[in-house]
Amino acid sequence: MSNCLLKNGRLLDPAQGLDMRGDLRMRGGRIAEIAPSLTPEAGETVIDCADCWIAPGLVDIHVHLREPGQSHKETLQTGGAAAVAGGFTSICCMPNTDPPLDSPTLVREILARAERESPCKVYVVAALTQGMRGEVPCDYHALKHAGAVACSDDAFPVQSAEVMRRAMRGCAAYGLPVVTHCEDKTLSEGASMHAGAVSARLGLKGAPASAETVHIARNALLAGETGCHLHIQHLSTAFGVALVRFFKAQGTRITAEVSPHHLLLTDAACAEFDTDAKMNPPLRTEADRIALAEGVQQGVIDCIATDHAPHAPFEKAQPFPVAPFGIVGLETALGCVLLWNSQLPDPLTPLQIVNLMSTAPARLMGLPAGTLEIGAPADVVVIDPRLRWNVDPCTLRSKSKNTPFKGWELLGKARYTFVDGALVYPAS
Ligand SMILES: [Zn+2]
Ligand SMILES: [Zn+2]
């Protein structure tokens, strides 16, 4: 493994509260040295990082890699390539594959394959119930032993409160976070977007905000009783932010993520029936969008996650009500977040941004990532925070191109991504 010296960057490590100009040396796959100035050694690759951030590789705890079973949408290889192009070095993949990742054998298989096929590190969020049918909890001891970092039925949220309570008890016993997509299906049945003025005008069935908030409240109450760590996925509503704030204040072990698209877009993006603006939870109102920003700024929302959900063009080409939910996000996340931040009246600091996209999500899932500490794995990203670039779906590494940000000018991009000290983006 070649050793590398990154020079003249802005070193950012939320884990150590580090924000300084200087150099970083990677040796033998680990962070070896950090100092205001380091002298190049023989045989070392030197990269000038002037005007760039040097940060721990980004961490995305909500990614759909689609394997096994749906490799026409994405693969471990293409998803991993998209991740490192977006500056991510560790990602957590979701279990709603075909078959779902509900057994230790499948978890081990994905971990072993990802090790060979993906340029970034992959961790598995296993299913919460068998077959993701919301009826019978999985064998959490076996899943944990196989390497699962958390459990979730994401796209198929458990509808029975009784089953959820049992699942939470089981996960709490083995220290597995319960990761939930909060959706009461009796309120969202048949919906393809948010229920509001736009859906009424388009004549589309919408899901009310309560479809999300009813389940946030239910899950938080159950988490309080069972003592599990509850992580709320892709928070999308103002009331949802208020509920997370409330339950945190009660001492409930609750954390939450928000997706870049919910920070930047509203249901107005659906006005032309663009199926690339169809996702679940749906894009909401401007008031929700503003509440989410406040939630991030006030620390109610712990981290940013993409909910990268690739779908093939022929699938997204269907009429709006029947096209599948979801958008790709790995390659646009950083540019979206920095663009969003630049529009805030009181923007977050670079250290806060890196925390939201690396250190906090790594901690929350217990991953060995998100820091530049000496001796840590050299998972590092060099970011140009001022680079303006246009999103051309054709150039995405992801196998799927379903992004509502097509044609947008985003702000900031990964210049170099290293995993265990090896340059994985740009590919050599
Ligand atoms: Zn979801
Ligand atoms: Zn998801």
Side-chain angles (χ1 to χ4, degrees), residues 62 64 154-156 180-183 233-234 280-281 307:
H62 191 160
H64 296 272
D154 187 4
F156 304 96
T180 63
H181 167 130
C182 292
E183 182 182 356
Q233 297 180 291
H234 43 43
N280 193 11
D307 193 9

Side-chain angles (χ1 to χ4, degrees), residues 218-249:
R218 184 202 76 173
N219 290 350
L221 290 166
L222 296 173
E225 280 183 358
T226 58
C228 80
H229 168 195
L230 170 66
H231 177 70
I232 308 286
Q233 297 180 291
H234 43 43
L235 201 55
S236 72
T237 57
F239 252 119
V241 176
L243 284 169
V244 173
R245 183 185 286 115
F246 171 80
F247 282 103
K248 280 190 168 180

